[in-house]
Amino acid sequence: MTTSRTAVEIDSQPAVWRQAARTLPQHTAALPRRGERVAVIGCGTSWFMALAYAELREAGGHGETDAFAASEFPYGRRYDRVVAITRSGTTSEVLAVLARLRGEVPTGALTADPTTPVMDLADEVAVLDFADEESVVQTRFATTALALFRAHLESEDALPAGVRPLAEAVEDAERALAAPLDEAVRTAEQFTFLGTGWTYGLALEAGLKMREAAGAWTESYPAMEYRHGPISITGPGRVAWGFGALPVGLADEVRKVGGTVVESDLDPLADLIRAQRLAVAVAEAQGLNPDTPRNLTRSVVLADHHA
């Protein structure tokens, strides 16, 4: 079988994360300043990375930070800066927010394409073209954006306690690429991804990757919320995957009813790579092409958008 473009892009992540760290000084103008009250926006995968970054930044003491799906941005709320994550630079909802805030609130953006409208609408833009992708399914651009945010927090001594330096996360990413995927996980019929704090955004993203690439039945929750109802679906052939340590006793409860537990000592962002690999493996086992998921395009551009 020919290796999919998605798989190639997944494999490249340790290298592009390192490049993000090396090029950080070129991108800081688009990033939040210490003490600013910031909103981070995106759509789909980019929104989930925004959620993860918002938790990291606030927990690290860098400043109050909210994250919103761009379509749900609260225009009546005051922010010192708004930062957008948009791989394509053309997503309608993101451009609409930037256009409406222009001249009123300082804005920044992270994008992969320097030839798109976001370059004119955001005040400052970090162009991560080295992390751009051919696949419709986002993998390396999203994780590289979060890696850049982490590198910035680390450079300002604002990485939360317990979060590893990016260099260690890169090493873990290489381990994640080499680790075999358990057969019980590869052949499962249902997947629930769990996170706590900043890793909840990763859990959401893992679930989205499985749905996009493989059409899989997935759900995502804050880890403790899993016990408040969703655990009712757990049983043989079903997986509960934790990003970071699961709450004490939860893994035992999953195993007690026949579910499969996935835990890892990897950095949670690196562990997301294993979920990306799983999405490709499950898709290919069904005869699907992960590069061309059903009903999706690289960017959502609404016909009636007027930014």
Side-chain angles (χ1 to χ4, degrees), residues 260-303:
T260 298
V261 177
V262 177
E263 296 182 278
S264 173
D265 64 353
L266 296 170
D267 180 275
L269 185 59
D271 197 28
L272 180 59
I273 290 176
R274 292 200 305 151
Q276 294 170 344
R277 290 177 55 215
L278 177 64
V280 170
V282 172
E284 292 177 344
Q286 298 178 74
L288 301 175
N289 182 351
D291 292 346
T292 55
R294 291 173 294 191
N295 307 322
L296 295 179
T297 57
R298 176 178 162 86
S299 173
V300 177
V301 180
L302 304 179

Side-chain angles (χ1 to χ4, degrees), residues 8-273:
V8 171
E9 290 165 353
I10 289 170
D11 288 349
S12 73
Q13 286 172 108
V16 293
W17 294 3
R18 287 191 179 98
Q19 189 164 352
R22 286 196 304 269
T23 59
L24 172 63
Q26 303 172 25
H27 306 307
T28 53
L31 303 179
R33 282 56 161 169
R34 182 183 289 275
E36 288 183 330
R37 186 169 189 251
V38 171
V40 190
I41 63 170
C43 297
T45 290
S46 295
W47 174 36
F48 300 150
M49 295 301 104
L51 287 168
Y53 170 58
E55 290 283 350
L56 283 170
R57 181 174 184 262
E58 192 157 314
H62 200 258
E64 185 177 353
T65 318
D66 295 327
F68 300 100
S71 59
E72 300 298 316
F73 183 76
Y75 289 101
R77 194 174 297 180
R78 184 194 64 79
Y79 289 101
D80 299 314
R81 187 174 307 273
V82 173
V83 178
I85 307 172
T86 169
R87 176 181 67 168
S88 69
T90 61
T91 304
S92 296
E93 301 98 303
V94 171
L95 298 182
V97 174
L98 294 174
R100 184 162 169 180
L101 297 180
R102 195 171 189 181
E104 297 181 4
V105 180
T107 58
L110 278 64
T111 191
D113 190 341
T115 67
T116 55
V118 72
M119 302 297 295
D120 295 323
L121 290 174
D123 296 327
E124 301 286 348
V125 183
V127 178
L128 309 182
D129 50 358
F130 56 88
D132 200 1
E133 297 160 323
E134 294 177 17
S135 177
V136 171
V137 174
Q138 278 203 62
T139 55
R140 73 179 182 189
F141 173 77
T143 62
T144 302
L146 188 53
L148 182 74
F149 283 132
R150 282 177 63 167
H152 184 237
L153 293 176
E154 187 178 344
S155 73
E156 301 210 339
D157 196 27
L159 205 60
V163 178
R164 301 174 192 182
L166 185 60
E168 293 183 19
V170 171
E171 293 175 359
D172 280 354
E174 292 171 336
R175 292 171 55 201
L177 289 170
L181 297 171
D182 188 275
E183 186 66 16
V185 177
R186 291 170 62 107
T187 58
E189 66 172 356
Q190 189 275 338
F191 306 85
T192 300
F193 297 98
L194 306 173
T196 302
W198 74 280
T199 71
Y200 173 51
L202 304 184
L204 290 166
E205 171 58 8
L208 180 62
K209 285 289 92 67
M210 293 291 292
R211 291 191 295 274
E212 287 179 331
W217 173 17
T218 69
E219 300 180 2
S220 304
Y221 300 97
M224 284 301 292
E225 283 299 306
Y226 185 55
R227 189 62 189 84
H228 294 272
I231 196 171
S232 62
I233 66 168
T234 303
R238 298 178 180 180
V239 170
W241 181 314
F243 288 95
L246 288 172
V248 175
L250 185 56
D252 290 338
E253 292 196 32
V254 172
R255 294 188 182 101
K256 188 184 302 180
V257 294
T260 298
V261 177
V262 177
E263 296 182 278
S264 173
D265 64 353
L266 296 170
D267 180 275
L269 185 59
D271 197 28
L272 180 59
I273 290 176

